[in-house]
Amino acid sequence: MAGKNHVFLIATLLSLLVSSVVAHGGKQVGVTYDERSLIINGKRELLFSGSIHYPRSTPDMWPELILKAKRGGLNVIQTYVFWNIHEPEQGKFNFEGPYDLVKFIKTIGENGMFATLRLGPFIQAEWNHGGLPYWLREIPDIIFRSDNAPFKHHMEKFVTKIIDMMKEEKLFASQGGPIILSQIENEYNTVQLAYKNLGVSYIQWAGNMALGLNTGVPWVMCKQKDAPGSVINTCNGRHCGDTFTGPNKPNKPSLWTENWTAQFRVFGDPPSQRSAEDTAFSVARWFSKNGSLVNYYMYHGGTNFDRTAASFVTTRYYDEAPLDEYGLQREPKWGHLKDLHRALNLCKKALLWGKPNVQKLSADVEARFYEQPGTKVCAAFLASNNSKEAETVKFRGQEYYLPARSISILPDCKNVVYNTMTVVSQHNSRNFVKSRKKNKLEWNMYSETIPAQLQVDSSLPKELYNLTKDKTDYVWFTTTINVDRRDMNERKRINPVLRVASLGHAMVAFVNGEFIGSAHGSQIEKSFVLQHSVDLKPGINFVTLLGTLVGLPDSGAYMEHRYAGPRGVSILGLNTGTLDLTSNGWGHQVWMSLV
Ligand SMILES: *[C@@H]1O[C@H](CO)[C@@H](O)[C@H](O)[C@H]1NC(C)=O
Ligand SMILES: *[C@@H]1O[C@H](CO)[C@@H](O)[C@H](O)[C@H]1NC(C)=O
Ligand SMILES: *[C@@H]1O[C@H](CO)[C@@H](O)[C@H](O)[C@H]1NC(C)=O
Ligand SMILES: CC(=O)N[C@H]1CO[C@H](CO)[C@@H](O)[C@@H]1O
């Protein structure tokens, strides 16, 4: 009997193990992976993924965007989860309208596509505060993204809430839903050193916390060489085929979570371009070197509505992506990538089950091919690194003409079905026509009273993020000075100069209600100095500054310790020298009166 019990126990354990990947009706829907790819429904898969962020479009756009992505040959949609729009006030949640994450994921599923959920919850993404709610800054002793008890507490609470929500709606592939992959944290390697040991222990904690949520689908960390346990480290970049150093364990697949289709824009930038040919080259290169998942960042960028853009980021986001801001196909990008996906799918069997080989064909040309010995299954990539001129090379007894810096795809190791430089799709361009139906847009103009003397509530000018709390971008600062007639430099007829050193982001200055000038920083250098001559009169003078923000930052270490606003204020060129106004006593008014 003892022996039989043993067998029974083992059988039960086995069935427990198996049941975690078998859905009702016996259909396998679990997701695992091996060194070659993710394994979905028991099979290796080639995955072509595109980022579409639900709050960057409207729910009525979602079905069409997703359908256009599918027609473009994608089988996965990737999105971040945006904590600060879902929990704008601590404990008060919003999943309505464009924030309806469940509906978005369901729409992906209804189109027969898979989904990747990037939870972060720090996401960067050119999104205000990198997705972290403002109230998190006000939690005592918090240090974001570090082995810090308050941060870990709130992070775990939010991540668990989202995962539970997805489970309740049966949205994970392990439950028959579309989500095949989740991401915890985001490009942490770029800040980890700043946190020393607390960074190392934080990332291990984050990975293990995620694994403990038992989603039944794998977790990834992008740009994270020490991704713990079964968490897959993935590549972000433009040319992962040549820059990725590989998975950190031999049984993990090569996945590319962000392939920039252009570049996001900040105020002052020219339009960003990345050609269809260059993108296609990198993607073909990636799949020729063991890659099995690519994600276009962005496939549709959309719009940063309301206050959602990070500091200095424009409202238009990745308009140069295969689907433009409005969801229109951008040609030839959309079409050239669609053709590429079709060519790669023709190579699927060889890529996923064949043996990889490399053969040098000339100094700048190599063949990478996948073969199943003893069968006819064979697919080849002829890659030319010669950026100056085309070459003709010989592969398996046949000659091939390769345009400069291009890759040809041969799904049968004989016939070229695609070359990354040979664009078949037509070019298109976008026009704007005024809508007859929707021309009721109205502009309003307000005039704002310039406050001269607000109640003094601080010796120094206060910090801007703290004052605005992500509710407005404007704060009025006032101070008064008494100028003695002897202070005035009348003889030289040179006006004194008001100088304000500010930590960001923009400022308009007034003296005695008169505009005297403005200045601003940039995304790279947020601080700036405003310096303008002023007309002072003997007696009381009113100095008024309008301090302005353009969103919260979204990147870098110690984001909870960022400061903005005026830091040093002085009047130069008085007879008595420089008058320092920094601790002159300041009044503050948050918001403008009319906005
Ligand atoms: C911002 O406010 C917090 C309290 O919420 C305070 O601890 C911190 O010192 C303030 N920072 C600045 C620069 O004023
Ligand atoms: C691809 O995978 C094979 C087998 O795992 C390995 O031998 C080879 O080095 C890999 N190639 C690249 C470019 O990573
Ligand atoms: C092309 O050259 C670069 C730099 O020399 C190298 O990193 C890359 O692997 C080469 N690519 C191909 C397709 O040979
Ligand atoms: C260099 C670059 O473009 N990096 C961007 C990659 O995409 C992420 C999206 O999360 C951005 O935050 C990075 O700035």
Side-chain angles (χ1 to χ4, degrees), residues 134 137-139 462-463 465-466 469 562-563 567:
Y134 180 83
R137 287 172 74 97
E138 297 186 338
I139 303 287
K462 289 185 181 171
E463 197 281 324
Y465 295 125
N466 260 14
K469 299 188 188 300
R562 302 293 171 76
Y563 306 125
R567 264 296 164 272

Side-chain angles (χ1 to χ4, degrees), residues 241-242 281 285 289 360 363-366 383-386 406-407:
D242 291 312
F281 182 93
R285 183 83 179 138
K289 292 178 79 177
K360 203 102 190 123
D364 291 319
V365 178
E366 67 178 24
S384 168
N385 219 4
N386 184 339
S406 74
I407 299 180

Side-chain angles (χ1 to χ4, degrees), residues 387-415:
S387 52
K388 298 215 174 62
E389 53 198 30
E391 283 191 41
T392 301
V393 291
K394 222 170 186 177
F395 176 62
R396 297 192 161 195
Q398 216 167 302
E399 288 204 330
Y400 294 90
Y401 171 84
L402 270 177
R405 194 170 181 277
S406 74
I407 299 180
S408 282
I409 301 179
L410 292 61
D412 56 356
C413 283
K414 275 200 199 81
N415 296 294

Side-chain angles (χ1 to χ4, degrees), residues 451-466:
Q453 198 174 14
L454 299 162
Q455 167 108 48
V456 173
D457 57 4
S458 157
S459 147
L460 299 164
K462 289 185 181 171
E463 197 281 324
L464 264 181
Y465 295 125
N466 260 14

Side-chain angles (χ1 to χ4, degrees), residues 431-443:
N431 276 315
F432 292 92
V433 182
K434 200 169 169 193
S435 159
R436 272 191 215 158
K437 269 191 258 164
K438 305 226 163 165
N439 62 357
K440 287 185 192 132
L441 287 175
E442 268 179 38
W443 291 93

Side-chain angles (χ1 to χ4, degrees), residues 448 451 454 457 461-478 506-508 510 544-549 564-566 586-593:
E448 172 82 8
L454 299 162
D457 57 4
K462 289 185 181 171
E463 197 281 324
L464 264 181
Y465 295 125
N466 260 14
L467 288 172
T468 52
K469 299 188 188 300
D470 197 25
K471 295 278 194 291
T472 172
D473 289 313
Y474 303 101
V475 176
W476 287 109
F477 297 80
T478 61
M507 182 178 290
V508 187
F510 305 84
T544 304
L545 308 174
L546 180 62
T548 306
L549 292 171
W586 290 82
H588 301 85
Q589 178 192 307
V590 184
W591 300 85
M592 297 212 283
S593 51

